[in-house]
Amino acid sequence: MHLDIDLTGRRVVVVGHAREARRIVTRYRAAGADVDRFDTVASAVDELDGATLVVRVDGAAAALPQAPVQDGVLRQRCRDAGALLTREPAASDNGHVSLVGGGPGARGLLTLDAAAALRDADVVLYDRLGPTESLAELAPSAELVDVGKLPGHHRVPQAGINALLVQHALAGRHAVRLKGGDPFVFGRGSEELAACLEARVPCTVLPGISSSIAVPAAAGIPVTHRGVSHLFTVVSGHAPLTDDEHLHLAGLGGTIVVLMGVSTLPQLVAGLGRAGMHPDMPVAVVERGYSASQRTTSGTLSTIVTAAGAARCQSPAVLVIGEVVRVGLQLQGSAAHLARLTESLA
Ligand code: SAH
């Protein structure tokens, strides 16, 4: 059950051993509660006055033979004191890593599993992509580490991130590596997984909504559309493509989605042109999807480099090349028309 109670300034009593209760105490303190912890039920029962909530940690002590009797006493005393009683599982000593796909940045596009992993995290390693704005709220008991930017603005190198994840887990923590989009789409998530496996650290991968589909959608562009495009290819523009790749991509005749492609846009456009793509092929550059400054710059294969240059398009952006861009623009035209109609009828 997930109850939404404002615990600011409320007294919360946690019953459980320090080690097992550590994460629970941190979480309630982070929620603004005034937390007292007692090792045993016997030491807690006379200290419940004024408590709003009593949390029984389901750890080793709760499994002892006398526990059912003690639990009965605790239940009765909570009733007397007018406090709610709940049980929470103890933190295990074994650390682990969750590789979490955070989606393209909007909090609502986090999966339920991703939100649960963040809620449980002791430490979160994040970078600029993904839902970073409300992290403190999403991961209330976690230390937040920006591995994309450190003093001096150097990003932590990949080997350093791998080592940090393993170190935290070996120290018994739940380390969450929060990544933009999906961890396995150009995210080096598989390298982080390999590092965990090598160190025998348990690691769970939680897929996320990839910007390759979601960011075009944010701009109203469907990556497929019946009768227009029945395939889409997702390409990294980190380095320029080869002429062979241009030829194959153009030959497919479907939608081309490019991530990390702003700086190599001129080479891509030239290459696709050489490969025979029509100069009128629509192209869109969607910057900062799901942020307040989201922007779409559109043009054709022959105009987009000038248009993107004039608009000073910057990373992060998703490029979409294909007739679906026209579909997107038409849909938006109809939507705007509908909005105007509704307005004039109101
Ligand atoms: N794993 C990520 C991609 C990582 S590569 C995913 O599945 O989405 C980083 C690139 O993703 C950026 O350079 C940009 O091309 C794209 N990207 C991610 N989030 C974005 C956003 N909110 N708006 C625009 N582009 C984004």
Side-chain angles (χ1 to χ4, degrees):
M1 193 173 351
H2 182 76
L3 289 174
D4 237 348
I5 313 175
D6 182 4
L7 289 171
T8 317
R10 302 295 192 120
R11 182 159 187 255
V12 170
V13 172
V14 175
V15 186
H17 286 300
R19 186 174 42 77
E20 293 179 338
R22 179 176 59 88
R23 197 182 293 162
I24 294 170
V25 168
T26 321
R27 183 153 25 86
Y28 283 103
R29 289 217 170 111
D34 188 3
V35 183
D36 288 317
R37 188 193 57 79
F38 298 92
D39 279 344
T40 61
V41 170
S43 56
V45 282
D46 293 326
E47 308 286 344
L48 303 183
D49 284 350
T52 300
L53 181 70
V54 176
V55 184
R56 171 82 157 114
V57 180
D58 248 340
L64 293 175
Q66 68 271 29
V69 180
Q70 290 193 335
D71 282 347
V73 173
L74 186 63
R75 217 174 300 127
Q76 185 56 51
R77 293 292 176 89
C78 284
R79 222 173 279 140
D80 297 344
L84 295 168
L85 174 63
T86 180
R87 303 181 78 110
E88 290 199 30
S92 83
D93 252 346
N94 303 327
H96 62 289
V97 169
S98 301
L99 287 184
V100 175
R107 184 181 164 132
L109 294 182
L110 267 181
T111 66
L112 294 175
D113 281 356
L118 287 169
R119 236 185 345 264
D120 185 65
D122 295 312
V123 56
V124 178
L125 308 188
Y126 68 98
D127 45 49
R128 76 189 167 122
L129 297 171
T132 51
E133 259 175 34
S134 42
L135 253 192
E137 213 179 295
L138 289 164
S141 42
E143 176 196 349
L144 304 178
V145 183
D146 183 353
V147 289
K149 190 175 61 183
L150 274 191
H153 299 282
H154 284 302
R155 52 173 34 248
V156 179
Q158 189 60 48
I161 297 176
N162 298 353
L164 273 175
L165 284 172
V166 167
Q167 265 169 33
H168 281 299
L170 291 178
R173 298 186 194 105
H174 178 195
V176 165
R177 172 69 176 114
L178 182 66
K179 308 185 72 80
D182 182 90
F184 283 176
V185 177
F186 307 137
R188 305 191 73 171
S190 39
E191 294 168 47
E192 291 164 0
L193 174 63
C196 291
L197 295 179
E198 197 182 319
R200 299 188 174 276
V201 162
C203 178
T204 313
V205 181
L206 303 180
I209 297 182
S210 177
S211 64
S212 52
I213 300 171
V215 170
I221 302 168
V223 289
T224 68
H225 188 78
R226 199 172 144 85
V228 174
S229 171
H230 65 189
L231 65 103
F232 62 98
T233 311
V234 181
V235 191
S236 162
H238 183 64
L241 302 181
T242 64
D243 263 341
D244 229 16
E245 288 169 327
H246 290 133
L247 209 59
H248 290 305
L249 272 179
L252 278 170
T255 309
I256 304 169
V257 177
V258 188
L259 305 192
M260 299 177 280
V262 176
S263 56
T264 53
L265 180 65
Q267 287 101 311
L268 179 70
V269 163
L272 291 173
R274 281 197 302 279
M277 187 177 274
H278 200 284
D280 286 341
M281 182 64 82
V283 183
V285 180
V286 187
E287 296 167 87
R288 301 176 295 275
Y290 298 95
S291 74
S293 61
Q294 177 180 319
R295 177 174 74 156
T296 306
T297 305
S298 54
T300 63
L301 202 63
S302 59
T303 65
I304 194 66
V305 172
T306 312
R312 296 181 190 279
C313 287
Q314 279 177 357
S315 178
V318 173
L319 319 179
V320 190
I321 302 167
E323 292 296 342
V324 288
V325 171
R326 220 186 296 278
V327 174
L329 295 176
Q330 277 162 6
L331 288 172
Q332 282 163 63
S334 312
H337 180 63
L338 199 64
R340 276 197 303 276
L341 262 182
T342 321
E343 217 168 79
S344 67
L345 291 175

